């Protein structure tokens, strides 16, 4: 399995690459340190799986995921983030990620998530599973709001411009 690592912290990328090289049938074929580089690198290398940080400079992991899935719909994307917030989790899954792992997890959990996602399954860290299920149940409950999220009506470029404004 060809893997692309996307994270803006080089030391983290180096450590993750070292750990992944010891896993059978895995090869890290590239790295990117921001969302724009992730889109370009994914297009150039065509990985099987991308391990994507959520918060990065230039273009965040959510928008990078959305753009990559538009270009390479078969690539699997696994979010790896320190953020357990429902907004980040939901946004990554909506953008096309197949899983979401927290950075404070053990490597064994990440390896398991990679295996699950590569098999076409979904994976969520156990600590965020309850939150996702609660949100799903709330959406199904009688009287739940039927309004769409305001950002869902923006184009990809409009979301990108909004992100750049927020980041100053």
């Amino acid at each position: 399995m060809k893997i692309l690592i996307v994270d803006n912290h080089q030391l983290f990328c180096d450590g993750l690459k070292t750990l992944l090289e010891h896993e059978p049938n895995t090869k890290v074929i590239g790295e990117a340190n921001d969302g724009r580089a992730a889109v370009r690198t994914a297009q150039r290398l065509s990985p099987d799986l991308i391990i994507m940080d959520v918060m990065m400079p230039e273009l965040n992991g959510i928008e990078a995921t959305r753009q990559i899935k538009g270009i390479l719909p078969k690539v699997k994307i696994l979010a790896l983030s320190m953020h357990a917030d429902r907004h980040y989790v939901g946004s990554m899954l909506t953008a096309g990620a197949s899983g979401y792992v927290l950075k404070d997890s053990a490597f064994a959990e990440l390896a398991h998530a990679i295996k699950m996602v590569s098999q076409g399954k979904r994976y969520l860290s156990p600590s965020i599973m309850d939150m996702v299920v609660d949100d799903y149940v709330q959406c199904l409950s009688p009287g739940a709001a039927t309004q769409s999220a305001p950002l869902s009506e923006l184009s990809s470029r409009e979301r990108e411009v909004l992100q750049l404004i927020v980041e100053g």
Side-chain angles (χ1 to χ4, degrees), residues 14 28 35 38 56 60-61 63 66 72 77 85 88-89 91 102 108 123 128 134 147 164:
D14 292 345
V28 176
M56 296 178 290
N60 67 31
E63 188 56 34
R66 188 176 284 111
L72 302 167
I77 298 179
D85 180 85
Y88 294 118
V89 175
S91 295
L102 296 175
Y123 184 87
I128 60 173
D134 289 346
Q147 294 178 333
L164 292 171

Side-chain angles (χ1 to χ4, degrees), residues 1 37 57 62 73 77 86 90 96 100 112 120 128 137 142-143 156 167-168:
M1 175 185 349
I62 298 164
I77 298 179
R86 65 182 12 96
Y100 198 103
H112 178 67
I128 60 173
V137 170
S156 177
E167 291 176 356

